[in-house]
Amino acid sequence: MPVLKWNPKIADAARSHSRRMATKRFFSHEDPQFGGPGNRLSAAGIAWRLCGENIFEEYGESDPVQSAVRGWMHSAGHRKNILTRGFTHTGLGVAIGHDGTYTITQMFAAF
């Protein structure tokens, strides 16, 4: 697989989505105010032609990142995002709630 390039603007959009899910108490690819991944990337000034997103929420795991990746790889849709050759760039954002819940968003894009 080609290595995905890190994109700080995508990471900012992912971090914002994680933060909103944690503080507004929803868990979805669709933000009630800002819409889906494509809408949120466009609002961040990212001119994407292909995009995708994985989200994860976890409480109590000693390694939430490993748990997220393991969970994504065991889910057909999330695994497809990770293995899609068309994606060229990625960004990841994490929010940690007051109760210790980790909310993780990974966004993928091609320009």
Side-chain angles (χ1 to χ4, degrees), residues 94-111:
V94 178
I96 304 171
H98 295 295
D99 64 354
T101 298
Y102 283 78
T103 305
I104 303 171
T105 302
Q106 182 175 17
M107 299 183 88
F108 305 89
F111 308 121

Side-chain angles (χ1 to χ4, degrees), residues 6-7 24 29 34 36-37 39-40 42 46-47 50 54 58 68 71-72 90 93-94 98 101 103 105:
W6 180 259
N7 184 288
K24 302 293 183 183
H29 295 287
F34 298 108
N39 292 345
R40 290 183 271 112
S42 294
I46 299 165
L50 178 67
N54 289 346
E58 181 62 58
W72 289 336
T90 191
V94 178
H98 295 295
T101 298
T103 305
T105 302

Side-chain angles (χ1 to χ4, degrees), residues 1 4 10 13 25 38 47 63 65-66 68-70 74 83 101 105:
M1 295 289 305
L4 293 171
I10 295 174
R25 312 300 265 162
D63 188 344
V65 173
Q66 181 181 18
V69 173
R70 186 175 42 247
H74 286 97
L83 299 177
T101 298
T105 302

Side-chain angles (χ1 to χ4, degrees), residues 16-27:
S16 176
H17 188 59
S18 289
R19 199 175 302 125
R20 283 187 52 78
M21 285 193 293
T23 59
K24 302 293 183 183
R25 312 300 265 162
F26 70 92
F27 183 71

